[in-house]
Structure formats: C-alpha cells, structure tokens
Amino acid sequence: MDEIKLVVIVGPTSVGKTALSIDLAKRFDGEVISADSRQIYCYMDIGTAKATPEQRAAVPHHLIDVVDPDQKLTLAHYKRLASHAIHDIWERGGLPMLVGGTGLYVRALLEGWTIPEVPPNRELRRRLKERVERVGAEVLHERLQEVDPGAAESIDANNVRRVIRALEVYEETGTPISELQKKKLPNYDTFKIGLTMPRPDLYERIDARVDRMIEEGLVEEVEYLLERGYDLDLPSMSAVGYPEIGRYLRDEATLDEAVSAIKTRTHRIVRQQYNWFKLSDPTIHWFDAREVPTETIAEKVRDWLTRENEPVQLDHTRDCLDRG
C-alpha cells in the first residue's frame, strides 16, 4: 500500500496554526483533523479557540465537537478516530492535515503508540487522588518508579493524572504501561510544519487573544456551561479560561484578576508545548510566523507533494529564535 501523505502543523497556542491550515487546505484540497485535547468538547468554543463557523464551512474539519463536556475521550479513542479520518480523507482524494498543539495527540498518532485499552477504575483513582492530597505527588511517583521505571522516567511527578493512569494500568493488568505502549509506525509520509516566534511577541499575541475572548463572550460561555449542569470539577472544565472565569462568576476574583490569571496560565502552556515540539527537532520544518509568508510555506508543501522519494531539505536558519 502506498504511503498516505499527511501535512502536520504544530506550534504553540496563538501562533497562527488555524489560519495557516485554512489557507493550505484551500490550496491543496485539504481537510483539517484537530489535534487539540480541548476542542473535542461541544459548547466550549471561545475558550478553546475553535475555528470559526465560517472557517469550518470553507474547509472540512474533523474531531471538533466530538463529546459533551461531561464525557471522556481517551487517547486510544482519539487515535482511532484520527487514523480513520486520515485514511478516509486520503481515499477520497483529499490531503489530510493534522493541526494542533496537543503534543500527546500528535506523537501518539505519528509514532504509532499502542495504547492500553484499560477502562477507568474510579475507586482506585479516588484512593490514589486522596493519597496525593495526604502525602503529596512525589510519593505516588515513587510508587510508579518501583513498578514501572520506564513510565516514571517519562512522566513528571507533578503530572498527577498521568501518574495515576500509569499506576491504574499496572494494577489492572499486572503489566507496566511502558511495556504495553509499544509503537507501530503508521504508513504516513509526513511533512511537518512548525510555527514559532520570539517569546515576547507570542505572549503579546496571547494576551490580545484573551482580551478578544472576553469581548466575544467567554464569560457568557462559561455561564452557559454551568447553567447546563457542567461542573467546574469536570476534566473538560479544567481547560485554561474556564476555572478562572468560574472563580469570577463565584465572586472569588474580579474579572481583571481572572483575565490576568488566564494570560499567565497560557504563557505557561506555551513553555510546555515547546517541550513537546522542540525547535531543534530535525523532522519539523520551522517558520517564523511573523515573517514568512504563507506562499513560501505553500511552495514547500507543493514541492513535497510532487517529489517522489526525495525529501524536502529543511531550513533551520530560523532556529535561533528566542527560546526563553
């Protein structure tokens, strides 16, 4: 079977991935597959910066509005849906385009992770969370180190949710999750595009977008979700913006304080995203989103689409951008 050509667009939040994906999709008969762990939820539109209705009408989008905020979409389920969408788009003669900033989604799909199909054990999770509250996250991570050193090495102790999941898989199966997560590379010929810009410029853009979200009705969106019964304790509602506005609505913070907290937290997310998508990664073709015109990127994609077994030479002249 011939390889499926897949364009991948990654980069930090607010850098311009959506606008670029729409432009390229129009040029190359593409369809967008979201790689965003928050855009899977219905009703959460403004805070997750989904493509607008006009953009989604112009270019088909997949894996947006997949589940309600009180439902879960496991990584394994996401991977199956995304893989199906990629194959379907390609078989219909289109160009699949994976777009988003959730590194876990992107890497699981492109690296062919085999994800354990272990259903949640809510009682076990409750006990482990209570233990974290009593003795701290480090103790739980030490337990993971005992039963699954491989997972402990790759999972930060502060990422309590992933530590608990790894322990849950071990307790349920008796096998370390690191052994179950074997990789089987998919049959994709990928062209990875990374958008970046110096950190101060990106933070300025983020802050402006947060202000626009407030103007567009983020407060009203959170009010609507709460009125529908979606509690702020839901995993979906932990998405940046929602708990902060929730505190404002409960008179625990002023609106200015909530907005400032959203901006600060989003800056922190950017640093996390650069840990997933490194500027030094030789498989990603990085562009400075401030300076490089879309036409230049489109030319690279066009060259890649028309070349047979001849890799496009990556240009890392812009890797000197501020990484601070």
Side-chain angles (χ1 to χ4, degrees):
M1 178 181 176
D2 292 337
E3 287 184 315
I4 294 173
K5 288 190 175 293
L6 173 67
V7 170
V8 182
I9 302 177
V10 298
T13 185
S14 299
V15 79
K17 298 184 296 295
T18 297
L20 176 63
S21 67
I22 297 296
D23 187 294
L24 293 179
K26 289 179 178 179
R27 292 171 187 258
F28 300 108
D29 194 21
E31 297 186 22
V32 173
I33 301 147
S34 172
D36 188 299
S37 63
R38 301 306 183 180
Q39 293 184 0
I40 61 173
Y41 296 110
C42 299
Y43 317 122
M44 301 175 67
D45 302 334
I46 298 172
T48 64
K50 290 176 185 172
T52 66
E54 293 76 18
Q55 289 172 322
R56 292 163 69 177
V59 171
H61 281 66
H62 305 264
L63 299 194
I64 291 177
D65 295 339
V66 180
V67 294
D68 287 340
D70 58 354
Q71 297 175 320
K72 299 189 72 173
L73 185 74
T74 65
L75 180 60
H77 193 188
Y78 170 83
K79 183 171 173 283
R80 285 199 304 273
L81 292 175
S83 178
H84 175 78
I86 289 169
H87 283 77
D88 179 62
I89 294 165
W90 182 252
E91 289 172 359
R92 289 187 284 103
L95 177 63
M97 301 174 61
L98 185 69
V99 182
T102 300
L104 185 65
Y105 278 11
V106 174
R107 287 183 57 181
L109 188 61
L110 299 187
E111 296 176 6
W113 292 6
T114 301
I115 303 159
E117 295 283 357
V118 178
N121 183 326
R122 301 192 185 283
E123 176 59 24
L124 175 61
R125 290 185 178 187
R126 183 189 63 77
R127 293 201 308 269
L128 292 175
K129 287 178 182 178
E130 289 179 351
R131 188 177 181 192
V132 170
E133 292 171 358
R134 290 197 313 270
V135 298
E138 191 62 41
V139 172
L140 212 63
H141 194 263
E142 289 173 0
R143 169 60 179 164
L144 182 61
Q145 178 69 43
E146 294 173 3
V147 301
D148 190 349
E153 183 177 354
S154 64
I155 302 174
D156 188 274
N158 293 320
N159 195 333
V160 175
R161 189 173 298 171
R162 287 191 64 202
V163 171
I164 288 177
R165 175 57 176 168
L167 288 172
E168 177 184 49
V169 169
Y170 176 78
E171 295 295 338
E172 293 291 293
T173 67
T175 303
I177 193 173
S178 59
E179 292 185 17
L180 294 173
Q181 290 178 327
K182 296 177 181 178
K183 298 178 181 179
K184 182 179 180 181
L185 290 177
N187 191 40
Y188 302 151
D189 174 12
T190 61
F191 185 77
K192 300 179 188 176
I193 298 166
L195 294 183
T196 188
M197 64 175 60
R199 207 65 60 88
D201 292 337
L202 184 58
Y203 289 165
E204 184 177 336
R205 185 179 288 198
I206 286 169
D207 293 349
R209 188 171 81 170
V210 172
D211 290 336
R212 285 197 304 274
M213 287 178 172
I214 297 298
E215 294 172 1
E216 292 168 359
L218 179 57
V219 173
E220 292 76 13
E221 181 169 275
V222 178
E223 283 181 317
Y224 174 78
L225 288 162
L226 294 175
E227 289 170 359
R228 290 183 65 97
Y230 298 119
D231 193 89
L232 288 170
D233 290 333
L234 289 169
S236 62
M237 296 287 274
S238 68
V240 63
Y242 295 89
E244 291 81 5
I245 295 299
R247 285 192 285 274
Y248 161 67
L249 293 173
R250 292 182 301 201
D251 295 323
E252 297 172 3
T254 66
L255 183 58
D256 286 344
E257 288 171 339
V259 169
S260 178
I262 294 171
K263 292 175 180 178
T264 299
R265 187 176 165 202
T266 309
H267 295 179
R268 192 179 308 122
I269 288 173
V270 165
R271 294 192 287 272
Q272 295 168 354
Q273 288 174 316
Y274 274 117
N275 286 331
W276 282 103
F277 309 117
K278 296 184 182 299
L279 292 169
S280 59
D281 186 340
T283 71
I284 301 176
H285 195 169
W286 287 101
F287 296 94
D288 185 337
R290 304 165 308 159
E291 300 177 0
V292 180
T294 301
E295 182 56 44
T296 299
I297 301 176
E299 288 175 4
K300 292 283 189 180
V301 174
R302 190 176 296 110
D303 287 344
W304 166 72
L305 286 171
T306 56
R307 291 178 187 177
E308 292 293 337
N309 301 318
E310 183 181 346
V312 175
Q313 294 300 311
L314 302 188
D315 177 6
H316 290 286
T317 58
R318 300 191 181 278
D319 280 2
C320 60
L321 289 172
D322 175 28
R323 297 183 174 96

Short mmCIF file of all heavy atoms in Angstrom, two decimals, residues 53-109:
data_model
loop_
_atom_site.label_atom_id
_atom_site.label_comp_id
_atom_site.label_asym_id
_atom_site.label_seq_id
_atom_site.Cartn_x
_atom_site.Cartn_y
_atom_site.Cartn_z
N PRO A 53 -17.25 29.23 12.62
CA PRO A 53 -18.20 28.56 11.72
C PRO A 53 -17.90 28.84 10.25
O PRO A 53 -18.06 27.95 9.41
CB PRO A 53 -19.55 29.16 12.15
CG PRO A 53 -19.35 29.51 13.59
CD PRO A 53 -17.94 29.99 13.69
N GLU A 54 -17.46 30.05 9.94
CA GLU A 54 -17.13 30.39 8.56
C GLU A 54 -15.93 29.58 8.07
O GLU A 54 -15.92 29.08 6.93
CB GLU A 54 -16.83 31.89 8.44
CG GLU A 54 -18.03 32.81 8.69
CD GLU A 54 -18.38 32.94 10.16
OE1 GLU A 54 -17.53 32.61 11.03
OE2 GLU A 54 -19.52 33.37 10.45
N GLN A 55 -14.92 29.44 8.91
CA GLN A 55 -13.74 28.65 8.53
C GLN A 55 -14.10 27.19 8.36
O GLN A 55 -13.62 26.52 7.43
CB GLN A 55 -12.65 28.82 9.59
CG GLN A 55 -12.00 30.19 9.62
CD GLN A 55 -11.08 30.37 10.80
OE1 GLN A 55 -11.36 29.90 11.92
NE2 GLN A 55 -9.96 31.05 10.60
N ARG A 56 -14.94 26.68 9.23
CA ARG A 56 -15.32 25.27 9.15
C ARG A 56 -16.26 25.01 7.98
O ARG A 56 -16.33 23.88 7.49
CB ARG A 56 -15.95 24.85 10.48
CG ARG A 56 -14.92 24.85 11.61
CD ARG A 56 -15.55 24.84 12.99
NE ARG A 56 -16.21 23.60 13.30
CZ ARG A 56 -16.79 23.33 14.46
NH1 ARG A 56 -16.77 24.24 15.43
NH2 ARG A 56 -17.38 22.17 14.67
N ALA A 57 -16.96 26.03 7.54
CA ALA A 57 -17.79 25.89 6.34
C ALA A 57 -16.93 25.89 5.08
O ALA A 57 -17.25 25.23 4.09
CB ALA A 57 -18.82 27.01 6.28
N ALA A 58 -15.81 26.62 5.15
CA ALA A 58 -14.93 26.73 3.98
C ALA A 58 -14.06 25.49 3.82
O ALA A 58 -13.73 25.09 2.69
CB ALA A 58 -14.05 27.98 4.10
N VAL A 59 -13.67 24.87 4.94
CA VAL A 59 -12.77 23.72 4.92
C VAL A 59 -13.31 22.67 5.89
O VAL A 59 -13.59 22.99 7.04
CB VAL A 59 -11.34 24.12 5.33
CG1 VAL A 59 -10.46 22.88 5.53
CG2 VAL A 59 -10.72 25.06 4.31
N PRO A 60 -13.47 21.43 5.46
CA PRO A 60 -13.96 20.39 6.39
C PRO A 60 -13.01 20.21 7.57
O PRO A 60 -11.79 20.18 7.41
CB PRO A 60 -13.99 19.13 5.52
CG PRO A 60 -14.10 19.63 4.11
CD PRO A 60 -13.31 20.91 4.09
N HIS A 61 -13.59 20.12 8.77
CA HIS A 61 -12.82 19.89 9.99
C HIS A 61 -13.31 18.61 10.65
O HIS A 61 -14.50 18.30 10.64
CB HIS A 61 -12.98 21.06 10.97
CG HIS A 61 -12.14 22.25 10.63
ND1 HIS A 61 -12.33 23.01 9.49
CD2 HIS A 61 -11.10 22.83 11.30
CE1 HIS A 61 -11.45 24.00 9.46
NE2 HIS A 61 -10.69 23.90 10.55
N HIS A 62 -12.38 17.89 11.26
CA HIS A 62 -12.69 16.63 11.93
C HIS A 62 -12.19 16.68 13.37
O HIS A 62 -11.23 17.37 13.70
CB HIS A 62 -12.03 15.46 11.21
CG HIS A 62 -12.38 15.37 9.75
ND1 HIS A 62 -13.38 14.56 9.28
CD2 HIS A 62 -11.86 16.01 8.66
CE1 HIS A 62 -13.47 14.69 7.96
NE2 HIS A 62 -12.55 15.57 7.57
N LEU A 63 -12.86 15.93 14.24
CA LEU A 63 -12.51 15.79 15.65
C LEU A 63 -12.63 17.09 16.43
O LEU A 63 -11.86 17.38 17.35
CB LEU A 63 -11.12 15.17 15.83
CG LEU A 63 -10.96 13.77 15.23
CD1 LEU A 63 -9.71 13.10 15.73
CD2 LEU A 63 -12.16 12.90 15.51
N ILE A 64 -13.61 17.88 16.04
CA ILE A 64 -14.06 19.03 16.82
C ILE A 64 -15.49 18.73 17.24
O ILE A 64 -16.27 18.19 16.45
CB ILE A 64 -13.99 20.33 16.00
CG1 ILE A 64 -12.52 20.71 15.74
CG2 ILE A 64 -14.71 21.47 16.71
CD1 ILE A 64 -12.35 21.95 14.89
N ASP A 65 -15.85 19.04 18.48
CA ASP A 65 -17.20 18.77 19.00
C ASP A 65 -17.53 17.27 18.93
O ASP A 65 -18.55 16.86 18.39
CB ASP A 65 -18.26 19.57 18.21
CG ASP A 65 -18.11 21.07 18.40
OD1 ASP A 65 -17.49 21.48 19.40
OD2 ASP A 65 -18.61 21.83 17.55
N VAL A 66 -16.68 16.48 19.52
CA VAL A 66 -16.84 15.02 19.48
C VAL A 66 -17.66 14.51 20.65
O VAL A 66 -18.47 13.59 20.50
CB VAL A 66 -15.46 14.32 19.45
CG1 VAL A 66 -15.61 12.81 19.41
CG2 VAL A 66 -14.64 14.81 18.26
N VAL A 67 -17.43 15.09 21.84
CA VAL A 67 -18.12 14.63 23.03
C VAL A 67 -18.63 15.82 23.84
O VAL A 67 -18.15 16.95 23.69
CB VAL A 67 -17.20 13.76 23.94
CG1 VAL A 67 -16.83 12.46 23.26
CG2 VAL A 67 -15.95 14.54 24.34
N ASP A 68 -19.60 15.56 24.71
CA ASP A 68 -20.08 16.59 25.63
C ASP A 68 -19.05 16.81 26.74
O ASP A 68 -18.22 15.94 27.01
CB ASP A 68 -21.42 16.18 26.24
CG ASP A 68 -22.58 16.28 25.25
OD1 ASP A 68 -22.42 17.01 24.24
OD2 ASP A 68 -23.62 15.63 25.47
N PRO A 69 -19.11 17.95 27.41
CA PRO A 69 -18.11 18.25 28.45
C PRO A 69 -18.07 17.28 29.61
O PRO A 69 -17.07 17.22 30.32
CB PRO A 69 -18.50 19.66 28.91
CG PRO A 69 -19.19 20.27 27.73
CD PRO A 69 -19.95 19.14 27.11
N ASP A 70 -19.15 16.54 29.84
CA ASP A 70 -19.14 15.57 30.94
C ASP A 70 -18.80 14.16 30.46
O ASP A 70 -18.92 13.20 31.22
CB ASP A 70 -20.47 15.57 31.69
CG ASP A 70 -21.66 15.25 30.78
OD1 ASP A 70 -21.47 15.14 29.55
OD2 ASP A 70 -22.77 15.10 31.30
N GLN A 71 -18.36 14.04 29.22
CA GLN A 71 -17.94 12.75 28.68
C GLN A 71 -16.43 12.74 28.50
O GLN A 71 -15.77 13.78 28.56
CB GLN A 71 -18.63 12.48 27.34
CG GLN A 71 -20.14 12.37 27.43
CD GLN A 71 -20.79 12.23 26.07
OE1 GLN A 71 -20.38 12.87 25.11
NE2 GLN A 71 -21.80 11.39 25.99
N LYS A 72 -15.87 11.56 28.27
CA LYS A 72 -14.43 11.43 28.12
C LYS A 72 -14.09 10.87 26.74
O LYS A 72 -14.85 10.08 26.19
CB LYS A 72 -13.85 10.52 29.20
CG LYS A 72 -14.08 11.02 30.62
CD LYS A 72 -13.30 10.21 31.62
CE LYS A 72 -11.82 10.51 31.51
NZ LYS A 72 -11.04 9.86 32.59
N LEU A 73 -12.98 11.30 26.24
CA LEU A 73 -12.44 10.73 25.01
C LEU A 73 -11.02 10.30 25.32
O LEU A 73 -10.14 11.13 25.53
CB LEU A 73 -12.45 11.77 23.87
CG LEU A 73 -12.01 11.23 22.51
CD1 LEU A 73 -13.12 10.37 21.91
CD2 LEU A 73 -11.68 12.38 21.55
N THR A 74 -10.80 9.00 25.40
CA THR A 74 -9.47 8.51 25.75
C THR A 74 -8.50 8.76 24.60
O THR A 74 -8.89 8.98 23.46
CB THR A 74 -9.51 7.01 26.05
OG1 THR A 74 -9.85 6.30 24.84
CG2 THR A 74 -10.51 6.69 27.15
N LEU A 75 -7.23 8.71 24.93
CA LEU A 75 -6.20 8.86 23.91
C LEU A 75 -6.32 7.77 22.86
O LEU A 75 -6.16 8.02 21.66
CB LEU A 75 -4.81 8.83 24.56
CG LEU A 75 -3.62 8.98 23.62
CD1 LEU A 75 -3.67 10.31 22.86
CD2 LEU A 75 -2.31 8.87 24.40
N ALA A 76 -6.63 6.55 23.30
CA ALA A 76 -6.79 5.44 22.36
C ALA A 76 -7.95 5.71 21.39
O ALA A 76 -7.85 5.45 20.19
CB ALA A 76 -7.04 4.14 23.11
N HIS A 77 -9.06 6.25 21.92
CA HIS A 77 -10.22 6.55 21.08
C HIS A 77 -9.89 7.68 20.12
O HIS A 77 -10.24 7.63 18.93
CB HIS A 77 -11.41 6.91 21.96
CG HIS A 77 -12.71 6.94 21.22
ND1 HIS A 77 -13.89 7.39 21.78
CD2 HIS A 77 -13.02 6.58 19.93
CE1 HIS A 77 -14.87 7.31 20.88
NE2 HIS A 77 -14.36 6.82 19.76
N TYR A 78 -9.20 8.71 20.62
CA TYR A 78 -8.80 9.80 19.72
C TYR A 78 -7.94 9.27 18.58
O TYR A 78 -8.14 9.61 17.41
CB TYR A 78 -8.02 10.88 20.48
CG TYR A 78 -7.41 11.88 19.52
CD1 TYR A 78 -8.15 12.93 19.01
CD2 TYR A 78 -6.10 11.71 19.05
CE1 TYR A 78 -7.62 13.80 18.07
CE2 TYR A 78 -5.55 12.58 18.12
CZ TYR A 78 -6.32 13.62 17.63
OH TYR A 78 -5.79 14.48 16.68
N LYS A 79 -6.98 8.42 18.93
CA LYS A 79 -6.07 7.89 17.92
C LYS A 79 -6.83 7.11 16.85
O LYS A 79 -6.54 7.23 15.65
CB LYS A 79 -5.01 7.01 18.59
CG LYS A 79 -3.95 6.46 17.66
CD LYS A 79 -2.85 5.80 18.46
CE LYS A 79 -1.86 5.09 17.54
NZ LYS A 79 -2.39 3.81 17.05
N ARG A 80 -7.82 6.32 17.26
CA ARG A 80 -8.61 5.57 16.29
C ARG A 80 -9.40 6.50 15.38
O ARG A 80 -9.43 6.32 14.17
CB ARG A 80 -9.59 4.62 17.01
CG ARG A 80 -8.95 3.39 17.61
CD ARG A 80 -10.00 2.31 17.88
NE ARG A 80 -11.06 2.79 18.74
CZ ARG A 80 -11.02 2.76 20.07
NH1 ARG A 80 -9.95 2.30 20.70
NH2 ARG A 80 -12.05 3.19 20.78
N LEU A 81 -10.03 7.51 15.97
CA LEU A 81 -10.82 8.45 15.18
C LEU A 81 -9.95 9.23 14.21
O LEU A 81 -10.32 9.44 13.04
CB LEU A 81 -11.58 9.40 16.11
CG LEU A 81 -12.69 8.81 16.98
CD1 LEU A 81 -13.24 9.87 17.91
CD2 LEU A 81 -13.80 8.23 16.11
N ALA A 82 -8.80 9.69 14.69
CA ALA A 82 -7.92 10.46 13.83
C ALA A 82 -7.37 9.61 12.69
O ALA A 82 -7.29 10.06 11.54
CB ALA A 82 -6.78 11.04 14.66
N SER A 83 -6.98 8.38 13.00
CA SER A 83 -6.46 7.49 11.97
C SER A 83 -7.53 7.21 10.91
O SER A 83 -7.24 7.22 9.69
CB SER A 83 -6.01 6.18 12.61
OG SER A 83 -5.55 5.27 11.64
N HIS A 84 -8.76 6.99 11.36
CA HIS A 84 -9.85 6.76 10.41
C HIS A 84 -10.06 7.98 9.53
O HIS A 84 -10.26 7.85 8.30
CB HIS A 84 -11.14 6.44 11.17
CG HIS A 84 -12.34 6.31 10.27
ND1 HIS A 84 -12.59 5.19 9.51
CD2 HIS A 84 -13.35 7.19 10.00
CE1 HIS A 84 -13.69 5.37 8.80
NE2 HIS A 84 -14.17 6.58 9.09
N ALA A 85 -10.03 9.17 10.12
CA ALA A 85 -10.23 10.39 9.34
C ALA A 85 -9.13 10.57 8.30
O ALA A 85 -9.40 10.94 7.15
CB ALA A 85 -10.28 11.60 10.27
N ILE A 86 -7.89 10.30 8.69
CA ILE A 86 -6.77 10.43 7.75
C ILE A 86 -6.95 9.50 6.56
O ILE A 86 -6.82 9.91 5.40
CB ILE A 86 -5.44 10.13 8.48
CG1 ILE A 86 -5.10 11.26 9.45
CG2 ILE A 86 -4.30 9.93 7.47
CD1 ILE A 86 -3.96 10.94 10.40
N HIS A 87 -7.27 8.24 6.83
CA HIS A 87 -7.46 7.28 5.74
C HIS A 87 -8.65 7.66 4.86
O HIS A 87 -8.59 7.55 3.63
CB HIS A 87 -7.65 5.87 6.31
CG HIS A 87 -6.37 5.23 6.77
ND1 HIS A 87 -5.77 5.56 7.96
CD2 HIS A 87 -5.59 4.28 6.19
CE1 HIS A 87 -4.66 4.85 8.09
NE2 HIS A 87 -4.54 4.06 7.05
N ASP A 88 -9.73 8.10 5.48
CA ASP A 88 -10.93 8.46 4.73
C ASP A 88 -10.68 9.64 3.81
O ASP A 88 -11.08 9.63 2.64
CB ASP A 88 -12.07 8.78 5.70
CG ASP A 88 -13.34 9.19 4.97
OD1 ASP A 88 -13.88 8.37 4.22
OD2 ASP A 88 -13.79 10.34 5.16
N ILE A 89 -10.02 10.67 4.32
CA ILE A 89 -9.72 11.85 3.51
C ILE A 89 -8.84 11.47 2.33
O ILE A 89 -9.08 11.88 1.18
CB ILE A 89 -9.03 12.93 4.36
CG1 ILE A 89 -9.99 13.45 5.44
CG2 ILE A 89 -8.53 14.09 3.50
CD1 ILE A 89 -9.31 14.24 6.54
N TRP A 90 -7.81 10.67 2.59
CA TRP A 90 -6.87 10.27 1.54
C TRP A 90 -7.58 9.43 0.47
O TRP A 90 -7.36 9.63 -0.73
CB TRP A 90 -5.72 9.49 2.15
CG TRP A 90 -4.66 9.08 1.17
CD1 TRP A 90 -4.40 7.83 0.72
CD2 TRP A 90 -3.71 9.94 0.53
NE1 TRP A 90 -3.35 7.83 -0.16
CE2 TRP A 90 -2.90 9.13 -0.30
CE3 TRP A 90 -3.46 11.30 0.58
CZ2 TRP A 90 -1.87 9.64 -1.07
CZ3 TRP A 90 -2.42 11.82 -0.20
CH2 TRP A 90 -1.65 10.99 -1.01
N GLU A 91 -8.42 8.51 0.90
CA GLU A 91 -9.12 7.64 -0.05
C GLU A 91 -10.11 8.43 -0.92
O GLU A 91 -10.43 8.02 -2.03
CB GLU A 91 -9.85 6.52 0.70
CG GLU A 91 -8.90 5.49 1.30
CD GLU A 91 -9.60 4.51 2.20
OE1 GLU A 91 -10.85 4.64 2.37
OE2 GLU A 91 -8.93 3.62 2.75
N ARG A 92 -10.60 9.55 -0.41
CA ARG A 92 -11.50 10.39 -1.18
C ARG A 92 -10.76 11.39 -2.06
O ARG A 92 -11.37 12.22 -2.72
CB ARG A 92 -12.45 11.15 -0.25
CG ARG A 92 -13.49 10.26 0.40
CD ARG A 92 -14.53 11.06 1.18
NE ARG A 92 -14.04 11.55 2.47
CZ ARG A 92 -13.66 12.78 2.73
NH1 ARG A 92 -13.67 13.70 1.76
NH2 ARG A 92 -13.24 13.13 3.94
N GLY A 93 -9.43 11.33 -2.05
CA GLY A 93 -8.63 12.18 -2.91
C GLY A 93 -8.21 13.49 -2.29
O GLY A 93 -7.66 14.36 -2.99
N GLY A 94 -8.45 13.65 -0.99
CA GLY A 94 -8.06 14.88 -0.32
C GLY A 94 -6.71 14.75 0.36
O GLY A 94 -6.09 13.68 0.38
N LEU A 95 -6.26 15.86 0.91
CA LEU A 95 -4.99 15.88 1.64
C LEU A 95 -5.29 16.03 3.14
O LEU A 95 -5.76 17.08 3.58
CB LEU A 95 -4.11 17.05 1.18
CG LEU A 95 -2.78 17.22 1.92
CD1 LEU A 95 -1.88 16.00 1.69
CD2 LEU A 95 -2.08 18.50 1.48
N PRO A 96 -5.06 15.00 3.94
CA PRO A 96 -5.29 15.12 5.38
C PRO A 96 -4.25 16.04 6.02
O PRO A 96 -3.06 15.99 5.68
CB PRO A 96 -5.16 13.68 5.89
CG PRO A 96 -4.37 12.97 4.85
CD PRO A 96 -4.61 13.65 3.55
N MET A 97 -4.73 16.88 6.97
CA MET A 97 -3.86 17.84 7.64
C MET A 97 -4.13 17.77 9.15
O MET A 97 -5.22 18.12 9.60
CB MET A 97 -4.13 19.25 7.11
CG MET A 97 -3.92 19.38 5.61
SD MET A 97 -4.39 21.02 4.97
CE MET A 97 -3.28 22.06 5.90
N LEU A 98 -3.14 17.31 9.88
CA LEU A 98 -3.25 17.21 11.33
C LEU A 98 -2.76 18.52 11.94
O LEU A 98 -1.60 18.91 11.74
CB LEU A 98 -2.41 16.03 11.83
CG LEU A 98 -2.49 15.71 13.32
CD1 LEU A 98 -3.87 15.15 13.68
CD2 LEU A 98 -1.39 14.71 13.70
N VAL A 99 -3.63 19.19 12.69
CA VAL A 99 -3.32 20.55 13.14
C VAL A 99 -3.64 20.69 14.61
O VAL A 99 -4.76 20.42 15.05
CB VAL A 99 -4.14 21.59 12.34
CG1 VAL A 99 -3.77 23.02 12.79
CG2 VAL A 99 -3.91 21.43 10.84
N GLY A 100 -2.66 21.11 15.41
CA GLY A 100 -2.96 21.36 16.81
C GLY A 100 -1.73 21.43 17.68
O GLY A 100 -0.61 21.11 17.24
N GLY A 101 -1.96 21.81 18.93
CA GLY A 101 -0.87 21.99 19.86
C GLY A 101 -0.80 20.97 20.97
O GLY A 101 0.01 21.12 21.89
N THR A 102 -1.64 19.93 20.92
CA THR A 102 -1.58 18.88 21.94
C THR A 102 -0.55 17.84 21.53
O THR A 102 -0.82 16.94 20.72
CB THR A 102 -2.96 18.24 22.16
OG1 THR A 102 -3.89 19.25 22.57
CG2 THR A 102 -2.89 17.16 23.24
N GLY A 103 0.64 17.97 22.08
CA GLY A 103 1.74 17.10 21.67
C GLY A 103 1.46 15.63 21.89
O GLY A 103 1.90 14.79 21.09
N LEU A 104 0.74 15.31 22.95
CA LEU A 104 0.42 13.91 23.22
C LEU A 104 -0.39 13.31 22.07
O LEU A 104 -0.13 12.18 21.64
CB LEU A 104 -0.37 13.81 24.53
CG LEU A 104 -0.70 12.40 25.03
CD1 LEU A 104 0.57 11.65 25.40
CD2 LEU A 104 -1.64 12.48 26.23
N TYR A 105 -1.36 14.03 21.57
CA TYR A 105 -2.17 13.56 20.45
C TYR A 105 -1.31 13.36 19.20
O TYR A 105 -1.40 12.33 18.52
CB TYR A 105 -3.28 14.56 20.13
CG TYR A 105 -4.51 14.48 21.00
CD1 TYR A 105 -4.54 13.71 22.16
CD2 TYR A 105 -5.66 15.19 20.67
CE1 TYR A 105 -5.67 13.63 22.94
CE2 TYR A 105 -6.81 15.12 21.46
CZ TYR A 105 -6.81 14.34 22.58
OH TYR A 105 -7.94 14.27 23.36
N VAL A 106 -0.50 14.36 18.90
CA VAL A 106 0.31 14.31 17.67
C VAL A 106 1.30 13.16 17.72
O VAL A 106 1.41 12.37 16.78
CB VAL A 106 1.04 15.65 17.47
CG1 VAL A 106 2.00 15.57 16.27
CG2 VAL A 106 0.04 16.80 17.25
N ARG A 107 2.01 13.04 18.82
CA ARG A 107 3.03 12.00 18.89
C ARG A 107 2.42 10.61 18.95
O ARG A 107 2.95 9.66 18.35
CB ARG A 107 3.94 12.26 20.09
CG ARG A 107 4.88 13.44 19.88
CD ARG A 107 5.83 13.65 21.02
NE ARG A 107 6.64 12.48 21.30
CZ ARG A 107 7.54 12.43 22.28
NH1 ARG A 107 7.73 13.48 23.05
NH2 ARG A 107 8.24 11.34 22.47
N ALA A 108 1.32 10.45 19.67
CA ALA A 108 0.68 9.13 19.74
C ALA A 108 0.28 8.66 18.35
O ALA A 108 0.41 7.48 18.01
CB ALA A 108 -0.55 9.20 20.65
N LEU A 109 -0.20 9.58 17.53
CA LEU A 109 -0.65 9.23 16.19
C LEU A 109 0.52 8.98 15.25
O LEU A 109 0.57 7.96 14.56
CB LEU A 109 -1.55 10.34 15.64
CG LEU A 109 -2.26 10.07 14.32
CD1 LEU A 109 -3.20 8.87 14.44
CD2 LEU A 109 -3.04 11.31 13.87
#
